Amino acid sequence: MDEALLRSLTPSVLGILVRRGADFAAAEDAVQDALLEAVRVWPADPPRDAKGWLVTVAWRKFLDQARSDAARRRREDLVDEEPAPGPAPAVDDTLQLYFLCAHPSLTPSSAVALTLRAVGGLTTRQIAQAYLVPEATMAQRISRAKRTVSGVRFDQPGDVATVLRVLYLVFNEGYSGDIDLAAEAIRLTRQLAAAIDHPEVAGLLALMLLHHARRAARTAPDGSLVPLAEQDRGRWDTKLIAEGAEILQAALARDRLGEFQAQAAIAALHADAPTAEETDWVQIVEWYDELARLTDSPVVRLNRAVAVGEADGPRAGLAALAALDDSLPRHTAVAAYLHERDGDLATAARLYAEAAQKAPNLAERDHLTRQAARLNARRCR
């Protein structure tokens, strides 16, 4: 069973059902039912046209749901419009669906959560981790969003800011999580940048390109993580870096600074440094100050503490870290790194081990465990 194929076809199938008159919540349920049917049937009887098969089955599932709801019996008339057998039209509705999910009837946070779940392909757990909330809380938020838009006609697209937030979170999951969605997020953001002249759209695209340029160097041949300072910069994609930097400069020149432009500026400073030792940490701290002013995000302040530790010394970084909630994700890992920089290997080793237990994925857990083992081995010499 090709799960990647199913994931790639989901937005198009969902878009076809919505265009044919299905409200979004019912369409999503029908598509999910069709995917389950595919998992059951395809291994023994794979279809010639996967997309056409999914469209047909999802449409039938939707009609079955509609017939069972007495208040929506009018949808039975749509049975005559069932898609004809044969290849489905090759239309990419993904970006349009992002806008439709950002419906005016939803709050921005609910719209983002619904889009990530329904179109972005992320699990409730992954979305909860991105928002720093319990999984049960996020499940309730998504359920409320579905109830809110149930029966709503999706003819009022949402705003650009909400769509940008979704694309950013999808990219981050693809960049650092269990599912490879980064390339898809870049593709959609390129489409958006071509359609909308907006400095924050350009800023997000630049940010994605600058981060994606380092991707090949982020892991060793055995799959282990390679920290930024230890990456082989010869493996960075210089074409993507040049493109990202050019897009960023054009956006900054418009003097309408937003959070994605500020993040891209930080990424550009890392990309511009020939070696880790030549990184302009003082300027990076200044950009983190701008970013904190724009977002008031605790995660931004956590990253700022690392930059302060590099610019002004580890004790200054630890002082900045002390002002933050120690329950923040990766707070313990940052504390471990700064204590190591300060020469306190015993504390650093203990904190690396604690951070490994809290790591959100296996690669990060293995990296932190290796860091703890490395310091314990140094202390025993």
Side-chain angles (χ1 to χ4, degrees), residues 6-333:
L6 288 177
R7 185 179 300 281
S8 68
L9 291 174
T10 297
S12 295
V13 176
L14 187 57
I16 289 171
L17 265 65
V18 170
R19 289 203 310 276
R20 288 183 174 273
D23 68 72
F24 188 86
E28 187 200 1
D29 289 341
V31 172
Q32 292 300 319
D33 287 343
L35 294 176
L36 291 174
E37 187 73 5
V39 171
R40 185 182 70 82
V41 172
W42 285 11
D45 185 21
R48 294 180 181 177
D49 175 19
K51 182 177 177 181
W53 189 99
L54 286 172
V55 169
T56 299
V57 173
W59 186 250
R60 288 172 179 164
K61 297 284 186 183
F62 164 69
L63 291 176
D64 287 343
Q65 293 168 0
R67 292 191 189 98
S68 68
D69 188 346
R72 297 177 184 172
R73 290 191 179 278
R74 68 183 184 279
R75 296 194 185 277
E76 292 183 356
D77 296 337
L78 298 174
V79 70
D80 295 332
E81 299 181 18
E82 181 175 335
V91 178
D92 185 357
D93 296 302
T94 309
L95 190 57
Q96 180 187 12
L97 286 172
Y98 273 60
F99 273 96
L100 293 179
C101 284
H103 197 272
S105 63
L106 295 173
T107 63
S109 61
S110 294
V112 170
L114 177 62
T115 314
L116 289 172
R117 181 70 186 92
V119 187
L122 274 65
T123 65
T124 303
R125 176 183 60 82
Q126 290 166 325
I127 302 169
Q129 289 175 346
Y131 270 88
L132 310 181
V133 300
E135 184 175 350
T137 300
M138 184 53 66
Q140 292 175 355
R141 185 180 300 179
I142 294 172
S143 295
R144 285 196 300 270
K146 287 183 178 181
R147 287 196 299 270
T148 299
V149 300
S150 180
V152 170
R153 183 69 181 180
F154 277 73
D155 55 3
Q156 293 179 273
D159 68 345
V160 174
T162 301
V163 174
L164 289 179
R165 176 62 50 189
V166 176
L167 289 168
Y168 173 68
L169 291 173
V170 169
F171 177 80
N172 277 348
E173 187 59 40
Y175 186 69
S176 61
D178 301 323
I179 302 172
D180 186 0
L181 297 170
E184 172 68 0
I186 291 174
R187 184 183 71 84
L188 293 174
T189 306
R190 285 190 186 279
Q191 287 186 9
L192 188 59
I196 298 176
D197 183 18
H198 191 297
E200 272 293 83
V201 175
L204 178 58
L205 179 57
L207 174 64
M208 289 179 174
L209 295 174
L210 289 164
H211 276 303
H212 207 60
R214 302 199 303 260
R215 184 154 192 171
R218 292 185 70 247
T219 55
D222 63 358
S224 60
L225 291 179
V226 180
L228 176 60
E230 300 173 18
Q231 289 177 14
D232 178 0
R233 299 186 177 217
R235 299 185 65 196
W236 289 1
D237 189 327
T238 55
K239 289 184 179 179
L240 284 184
I241 290 174
E243 182 186 3
E246 182 179 357
I247 292 171
L248 173 62
Q249 289 300 323
L252 292 175
R254 301 176 66 174
D255 199 24
R256 290 168 55 193
L257 184 64
E259 62 174 295
F260 295 124
Q261 295 169 72
Q263 288 192 57
I266 293 169
L269 286 168
H270 283 297
D272 189 52
T275 65
E277 293 73 22
E278 296 174 86
T279 303
D280 189 345
W281 287 106
V282 172
Q283 194 172 169
I284 287 176
V285 171
E286 293 174 354
W287 276 111
Y288 270 122
D289 288 338
E290 288 286 348
L291 191 54
R293 179 183 61 79
L294 290 165
T295 66
D296 195 29
S297 164
V299 175
V300 169
R301 296 188 186 281
L302 182 68
N303 291 331
R304 179 186 178 277
V306 176
V308 169
E310 299 289 352
D312 300 326
R315 294 194 180 182
L318 287 168
L321 187 65
L324 303 176
D325 186 346
D326 61 9
S327 66
L328 275 172
R330 298 185 173 88
H331 183 285
T332 307

